[in-house]
Amino acid sequence: MSTKNWPLWEVFVRSKNGLEHRHCGSLHAADEEMALENARDVYTRRSEGVSIWVVESKHITASNPENNGEMFEPAQDKVYRHPTFYDLPDEVKHM
Amino acid sequence: MSEEQIKSLEEQFEARIARDEKIEPKDWMPEKYRKTHIRQMSQHAHSEIVGMLPEGNWITRAPSLRRKVALLAKVQDEAGHGLYLYSATETLGISREEMYEQLHTGKAKYSSIFNYPTVTWADMGAIGWLVDGAAIINQVPLCNTSYGPYARAMIRVCKEESFHQRQGYEIMIKLANGTLEQKEMAQDALNRWWWPSLMMLGPTDAESIHTEQSMKWKLKRKSNDDLRQQFIDQTVPQAELIGLTIPDPDLKWNEERQSYDFGEIDWDEFWQVVKGHGPMNKERMKARVNAWENGAWVRDAAMAHAEKKQDRKEKKAV
């Protein structure tokens, strides 16, 4: 019987040049080469991609939704970071 | 956490779903939500994987190259769909090995339809047309379900699945327009697959234990009986169009309801198959377990190779 299980990999696919790689799912593979080959077969059977990234899931550090308050709320009251915060007369053009 | 705290968290959680917000893997969720999703999603994955077996049976005997590439692509999609769904289920904290274990020991179920044999080529037509047709009706509403990874996997599955039903119906058209024997073969396949396909949409609403909770969590948008009616109403004209007869003497258009009335479903047969007494239950499980066990040395060898490569890389770096 198997002694060690294949690790989990996250798959990111660029659908065409000019666009970013986007996370599309995960899969199991013994190493990075196999992860790439499996990603090709599992996630791009219909020409969905021109480039694939794989990264072992354990290398991803994620924020914790329980801390979303201190993590993301500070940005909420900084409306002055948006152009609509500033009052301009209607006559002003091109701004 | 106190009982009160949990209750308040649960209320907030239900409110989020009611607002159509998605739930993501690291979000807090009630244990029951997690368990229900693990059960439904893993069973869905198992169904895709076991679903390869009845069709795999005909790949080498497909009547033409056109049919063969299509069937191969369809079975490959099913493997892909199983993999999307397994990895989506893993985000809920169950391992792939645990899920396989549950399938192989019979603890987890898969769709009962795959416990019927595929005895003629026409069965490939009937499966694509009816079984995938019923599956699409079951699956489309899941693209909007509340659990993010499940919804995303289902969008991918549904997009890919539309060719499955068309390739099946095309097989039926060809047979129905062929020689007398070919037409009889198509009719025979319809006769055998019709009732099990209706059963795929689940027990009647009165018997279905999960419906209410599943509706709340958007694991279900319509009741089993409504989905079944939808399937019948859309499939009957497709049969008529190619000159095949639905094997139900009670089937009749109801002008008032603008729907078909249909005969009694043999639910005893359904429960017998669910409980493991269908014609192919043992065979299917044997094939799965053998594939897993006979593949163990390949998985081990790949792992050993990966480790060796890693070692070599590290030694070079020193």
Side-chain angles (χ1 to χ4, degrees):
Chain A
M1 257 343 268
S2 302
T3 41
K4 266 187 200 157
N5 297 319
W6 290 356
L8 189 65
W9 301 74
E10 300 303 320
V11 180
F12 301 81
V13 172
R14 183 203 296 286
S15 56
K16 61 176 188 184
N17 277 8
L19 295 178
E20 67 278 58
H21 286 78
R22 252 179 96 166
H23 183 244
C24 66
S26 47
L27 50 77
H28 289 269
D31 59 24
E32 60 269 24
E33 231 174 287
M34 188 195 280
L36 266 183
E37 280 165 10
N38 287 358
R40 194 244 349 240
D41 291 343
V42 178
Y43 291 105
T44 64
R45 285 193 304 283
R46 289 175 175 76
S47 317
E48 290 94 338
V50 295
S51 163
I52 301 176
W53 290 346
V54 290
V55 55
E56 217 182 312
S57 310
K58 68 175 184 197
H59 295 310
I60 289 184
T61 309
S63 64
N64 183 344
E66 272 168 41
N67 305 331
N68 272 10
E70 57 260 46
M71 193 79 172
F72 300 111
E73 267 167 27
Q76 275 171 18
D77 58 3
K78 297 183 176 53
V79 283
Y80 46 85
R81 286 176 175 163
H82 297 279
T84 44
F85 177 74
Y86 299 92
D87 294 325
L88 261 66
D90 290 344
E91 297 81 52
V92 181
K93 302 286 181 225
H94 308 297
M95 192 179 285
Chain B
M1 246 185 294
S2 74
E3 232 169 82
E4 219 157 273
Q5 274 172 309
I6 293 183
K7 203 162 167 257
S8 133
L9 277 173
E10 273 175 11
E11 273 164 20
Q12 287 171 34
F13 180 85
E14 300 293 345
R16 283 180 66 194
I17 294 182
R19 283 198 301 271
D20 261 337
E21 272 181 43
K22 297 286 181 207
I23 307 301
E24 294 295 342
K26 296 184 80 171
D27 292 347
W28 182 87
M29 59 185 81
E31 247 340 270
K32 199 171 164 220
Y33 182 89
R34 183 185 303 278
K35 287 216 174 95
T36 303
H37 278 76
I38 289 179
R39 195 192 62 234
Q40 174 164 338
M41 290 166 69
S42 65
Q43 289 185 6
H44 198 160
H46 297 327
S47 300
E48 297 282 356
I49 298 300
V50 178
M52 291 191 282
L53 298 169
E55 291 175 303
N57 181 33
W58 280 93
I59 290 174
T60 56
R61 291 175 286 164
S64 70
L65 195 54
R66 185 176 193 274
R67 295 285 179 225
K68 191 174 193 152
V69 290
L71 188 58
L72 258 176
K74 180 178 191 285
V75 171
Q76 197 188 12
D77 273 351
E78 277 148 15
H81 298 172
L83 293 175
Y84 305 156
L85 288 163
Y86 277 132
S87 61
T89 316
E90 281 177 81
T91 63
L92 289 163
I94 184 170
S95 72
R96 186 75 59 100
E97 288 68 31
E98 254 176 293
M99 285 188 267
Y100 286 160
E101 173 78 18
Q102 290 178 350
L103 173 65
H104 296 165
T105 56
K107 195 181 158 220
K109 301 266 179 265
Y110 54 88
S111 185
S112 273
I113 194 88
F114 303 120
N115 291 319
Y116 290 87
T118 44
V119 293
T120 71
W121 170 251
D123 290 2
M124 297 304 98
I127 287 180
W129 173 33
L130 304 172
V131 175
D132 286 86
I136 290 169
I137 284 187
N138 264 333
Q139 288 172 347
V140 166
L142 289 173
C143 296
N144 271 316
T145 193
S146 64
Y147 189 54
Y150 194 22
R152 291 192 286 274
M154 289 317 300
I155 289 171
R156 211 170 252 286
V157 168
C158 287
K159 226 193 256 170
E160 297 182 350
E161 204 128 274
S162 55
F163 108 74
H164 297 182
Q165 196 189 11
R166 295 174 72 124
Q167 70 89 33
Y169 190 59
E170 199 194 76
I171 291 173
M172 293 305 259
I173 297 175
K174 204 78 175 178
L175 291 173
N177 289 311
T179 63
L180 186 64
E181 283 89 347
Q182 285 172 325
K183 188 166 180 180
E184 277 171 359
M185 197 195 265
Q187 181 63 51
D188 166 64
L190 172 58
N191 293 349
R192 282 180 292 107
W193 291 95
W194 175 252
W195 292 102
S197 299
L198 296 191
M199 294 174 198
M200 270 181 80
L201 297 146
T204 54
D205 296 348
E207 298 268 325
S208 179
I209 44 173
H210 302 303
T211 294
E212 203 186 329
Q213 181 69 80
S214 297
M215 288 270 193
K216 235 165 76 193
W217 288 340
K218 302 179 181 172
L219 271 171
K220 233 178 216 301
R221 311 307 287 251
K222 281 186 188 173
S223 77
N224 295 348
D225 288 336
D226 286 349
L227 293 171
R228 191 161 15 249
Q229 186 72 58
Q230 183 189 338
F231 175 73
I232 292 169
D233 290 347
Q234 74 181 41
T235 310
V236 172
Q238 293 167 355
E240 281 170 359
L241 191 69
I242 55 177
L244 296 179
T245 312
I246 303 282
D248 178 357
D250 296 323
L251 188 81
K252 214 175 129 221
W253 178 250
N254 183 324
E255 193 58 41
E256 201 180 314
R257 287 199 308 123
Q258 288 292 303
S259 254
Y260 284 93
D261 292 334
F262 54 96
E264 198 70 41
I265 293 172
D266 182 1
W267 290 109
D268 281 345
E269 176 186 321
F270 175 76
W271 291 114
Q272 281 300 313
V273 182
V274 169
K275 286 181 184 133
H277 309 302
M280 298 296 278
N281 295 58
K282 285 206 182 83
E283 182 78 25
R284 299 289 183 240
M285 255 328 90
K286 206 173 117 201
R288 269 321 300 154
V289 173
N290 280 348
W292 179 246
E293 287 178 354
N294 296 340
W297 72 270
V298 181
R299 295 193 297 279
D300 287 343
M303 211 55 216
H305 174 68
E307 279 165 5
K308 215 161 139 190
K309 242 180 18 181
Q310 188 63 28
D311 279 351
R312 227 178 275 148
K313 218 173 162 184
E314 276 161 20
K315 264 187 207 137
K316 236 189 205 164
V318 174

